[in-house]
Amino acid sequence: MMGKNTVTSDMKMAEVIHMNYLLLPVINRFGIKLGFGDKTVEKVCRDHGLNLSFFLDIVNTYHDPSYFPRDKMRGYPATLIIDYLLQSHEYYNRTMLPEAEGMIEKLVSTCSGHCEDLRLIEDFYRKYKEELQNHLSGEEIHFFPYVRALVEGKTGGKDLETLRREYNFSYQAHADEHESVIAKLVDLKNILIKYLPPDYDVEVCNNLLYWLFIFEDDLKDHERLEDVILLPVLENIEQQFRNQQ
Amino acid sequence: MNPLRTVAQPVIIAEPAYLLKRGIAALVSDMVRTDVLFIDDMGELNSHLDKNKVHAVFIDEQLLTDKPSTDLFFQLKEQTLYVGLSANPGQIRHKNKFDAVMDRSGTKEELVAAVESVLQPGTGESDKAGSLLSSREQEVLKEVALGYTNQQIAAKLYISRHTVISHRKNITAKLGIKTVSGLTVYAVLNGLIPKDQIR
């Protein structure tokens, strides 16, 4: 599955960024900052005490949509995956969502005509932001701790159904929330691209759209990691737990 | 009559019931010029999808009982459209993985609408957003934006719930907007409902 554009351990980290600058925030999530000099990916990972193979798989799944070694990735510890997902959450909360909000506010403040229409889009975004933040914090409060409790055996002698209830976790609700947060982001993009009233600042809106495209790609990769890797890993853990009981 | 659009990649119908699969094939052939393949063995289907590009798969949910083969089936094939066939489309399993869901016992009109929504999605050719939708679709959209459920809309417009769902699928395919809140913004932007009526 290794294409010529795949990130490999012997590449220089600087080359990786030249190859795809959109990987910067992904690399940051591993605690890596710029100024790598001529260090290779392997060296940078070693310096930061990272799991090299996991780093490469994450970076490559973001870089190349066709790269997705499911079976291999399902072999990583659930807690390693969760730690990474949490870093992404922080990035969405700290950077992605507020930046987009700032751009939308600017779009409204620079409006020269149908400002009511733009305010409607702003309202839509604000509600979306709230929904996504609720979803993310729900995962942090319920879903991830549920997985951790099973992995660490901190289950207090309870059965799976009780635990799921206590941690408020259900596969269906999780899937529905994922579907909704992606669908609304896609809707927002389409509303802007196809139906935006003409009295808006072109530059501000273009920047907003670039940002939303990047956000959508990031969020989709993030949710794919949860849905296609973490959830099957969790199912295995649940099965083992049942077998032990 | 417009010439049929040609779709280079084939459409697969994974449906064991003979009449149903022939019926879907007929609907597909009425709408696009393409090859139709019948495969109702999951192993064979997955191996075909792995090796070939496919435009759309119509699959009976009854074939999706074995977890490993179902997971494999849904592994990201972004260019392929997934259509589920179910006796109870509202409750179909893996609902969020399908691009469209068809009712096995639907009327011809509903089935045509469902096949259309997948094979002839709106291409946004018209610049006038409002004119993209038929008047019935605009009525349904208005009710959706006002916050009514499919059941309530069906009762208000004297149509079946399935027809409402078909209209909604077409609206989404034409506008590129899927969620109720997104559709509400569209409806206000296009003057279908006044802003103060949003719930």
Side-chain angles (χ1 to χ4, degrees):
Chain A
M1 206 188 264
M2 295 279 237
K4 66 176 177 328
N5 283 327
T6 308
V7 178
T8 54
S9 60
D10 57 350
M11 273 174 88
K12 288 181 179 157
M13 193 63 102
E15 281 176 63
V16 175
I17 302 304
H18 278 295
M19 189 165 85
N20 183 352
Y21 60 87
L22 295 175
L23 291 174
L24 257 180
V26 181
I27 290 172
N28 293 154
R29 281 168 219 170
F30 285 90
I32 301 171
K33 289 184 176 172
L34 292 173
F36 337 103
D38 283 324
K39 285 183 193 168
T40 61
V41 170
E42 187 175 3
K43 173 82 170 86
V44 173
C45 284
R46 208 180 322 126
D47 289 352
H48 284 80
L50 300 171
N51 179 327
L52 175 64
S53 165
F54 181 67
F55 176 84
L56 286 172
D57 282 338
I58 291 292
V59 166
N60 280 315
T61 52
Y62 271 75
H63 172 57
D64 173 3
S66 69
Y67 181 96
F68 202 57
R70 287 175 180 72
D71 293 341
K72 182 178 168 218
M73 293 180 79
R74 285 174 190 166
Y76 291 120
T79 48
L80 184 66
I81 303 170
I82 289 176
D83 287 343
Y84 173 77
L85 292 169
L86 281 170
Q87 290 303 316
S88 308
H89 283 196
E90 203 195 321
Y91 178 68
Y92 300 150
N93 279 319
R94 198 189 54 224
T95 308
M96 276 288 176
L97 287 168
E99 284 280 339
E101 186 165 25
M103 290 181 200
I104 290 180
E105 281 168 5
K106 198 167 169 196
L107 194 63
V108 174
S109 68
T110 51
C111 162
S112 58
H114 285 85
C115 303
E116 273 303 300
D117 290 349
L118 287 175
R119 274 193 204 105
L120 202 64
I121 295 171
E122 188 181 25
D123 280 350
F124 177 86
Y125 178 78
R126 290 231 164 96
K127 283 184 197 135
Y128 171 71
K129 181 182 154 203
E130 199 181 314
E131 179 181 333
L132 181 59
Q133 284 177 328
N134 284 339
H135 167 67
L136 297 176
S137 69
E139 287 188 342
E140 289 160 22
I141 297 166
H142 306 298
F143 174 43
F144 296 156
Y146 169 66
V147 183
R148 278 192 209 276
L150 286 174
V151 171
E152 292 163 6
K154 293 177 181 161
T155 50
K158 292 167 187 155
D159 65 15
L160 213 51
E161 279 58 45
T162 312
L163 285 167
R164 279 193 191 168
R165 221 175 17 254
E166 280 184 10
Y167 283 98
N168 200 11
F169 172 72
S170 101
Y171 283 95
Q172 190 56 51
H174 197 257
D176 290 346
E177 284 183 20
H178 273 190
E179 192 185 358
S180 172
V181 292
I182 294 284
K184 287 198 177 126
L185 192 52
V186 174
D187 283 359
L188 176 60
K189 272 171 48 198
N190 265 332
I191 289 169
L192 293 173
I193 295 170
K194 295 175 82 176
Y195 310 113
L196 191 67
D199 317 293
Y200 69 91
D201 185 303
V202 175
E203 208 174 310
V204 177
C205 194
N206 288 358
N207 282 337
L208 171 62
L209 261 178
Y210 298 149
W211 193 249
L212 294 178
F213 271 101
I214 294 172
F215 192 9
E216 184 192 342
D217 285 346
D218 201 311
L219 198 58
K220 276 184 175 165
D221 275 325
H222 178 84
E223 309 225 317
R224 183 171 63 155
L225 188 59
E226 276 188 30
D227 295 343
V228 188
I229 305 299
L230 184 58
L231 288 182
V233 170
L234 172 62
E235 281 177 71
N236 270 336
I237 295 170
E238 286 183 330
Q239 194 53 48
Q240 282 168 19
F241 180 77
R242 276 200 196 93
N243 293 344
Q244 283 163 10
Q245 279 204 319
Chain B
M1 205 178 135
N2 291 328
L4 291 184
R5 185 166 69 100
T6 301
V7 173
Q9 289 140 9
V11 168
I12 294 184
I13 299 176
E15 167 56 62
Y18 180 81
L19 277 177
L20 199 52
K21 80 176 165 195
R22 287 290 165 189
I24 296 165
L27 289 176
V28 170
S29 308
D30 281 349
M31 255 165 256
V32 288
R33 186 180 296 119
T34 188
D35 291 330
V36 176
L37 306 174
F38 300 107
I39 304 178
D40 52 24
D41 173 81
M42 281 308 285
E44 206 186 314
L45 177 61
N46 280 333
S47 127
H48 188 92
L49 287 171
D50 192 37
K51 295 191 196 95
N52 304 283
K53 286 193 171 162
V54 171
H55 182 69
V57 185
F58 291 78
I59 187 163
D60 194 309
E61 70 166 338
Q62 292 171 31
L63 292 174
L64 300 172
T65 45
D66 170 57
K67 185 159 166 26
S69 67
T70 301
D71 285 349
L72 198 60
F73 174 69
F74 282 118
Q75 275 182 14
L76 287 181
K77 296 171 192 75
E78 292 204 337
Q79 69 281 37
T80 303
L81 297 160
Y82 288 96
V83 186
L85 296 159
S86 171
N88 191 355
Q91 300 295 318
I92 189 167
R93 280 179 297 170
H94 318 289
K95 192 176 178 180
N96 61 334
K97 299 213 170 73
F98 286 114
D99 297 287
V101 178
M102 286 171 75
D103 186 347
R104 283 173 60 106
S105 51
T107 63
K108 183 185 174 195
E109 189 198 9
E110 287 161 5
L111 293 173
V112 168
V115 175
E116 253 177 1
S117 76
V118 177
L119 297 181
Q120 300 185 325
T123 48
E125 290 137 358
S126 166
D127 285 332
K128 280 191 230 148
S131 66
L132 269 174
L133 302 179
S134 71
S135 55
R136 199 54 156 175
E137 284 162 355
Q138 290 196 26
E139 278 178 82
V140 171
L141 173 59
K142 236 164 100 174
E143 303 298 335
V144 171
L146 289 171
Y148 293 105
T149 64
N150 290 340
Q151 194 68 55
Q152 289 169 321
I153 297 170
K156 283 182 83 168
L157 301 181
Y158 302 104
I159 51 181
S160 77
R161 201 172 66 89
H162 288 306
T163 308
V164 175
I165 293 168
S166 289
H167 284 309
R168 286 188 64 165
K169 280 181 191 155
N170 291 337
I171 292 167
T172 292
K174 286 181 177 177
L175 301 182
I177 303 176
K178 191 173 179 181
T179 65
V180 172
S181 46
L183 290 168
T184 306
V185 173
Y186 172 88
V188 178
L189 289 181
N190 287 280
L192 292 173
I193 56 166
K195 187 169 188 260
D196 54 22
Q197 278 191 31
I198 304 175
R199 286 192 201 172

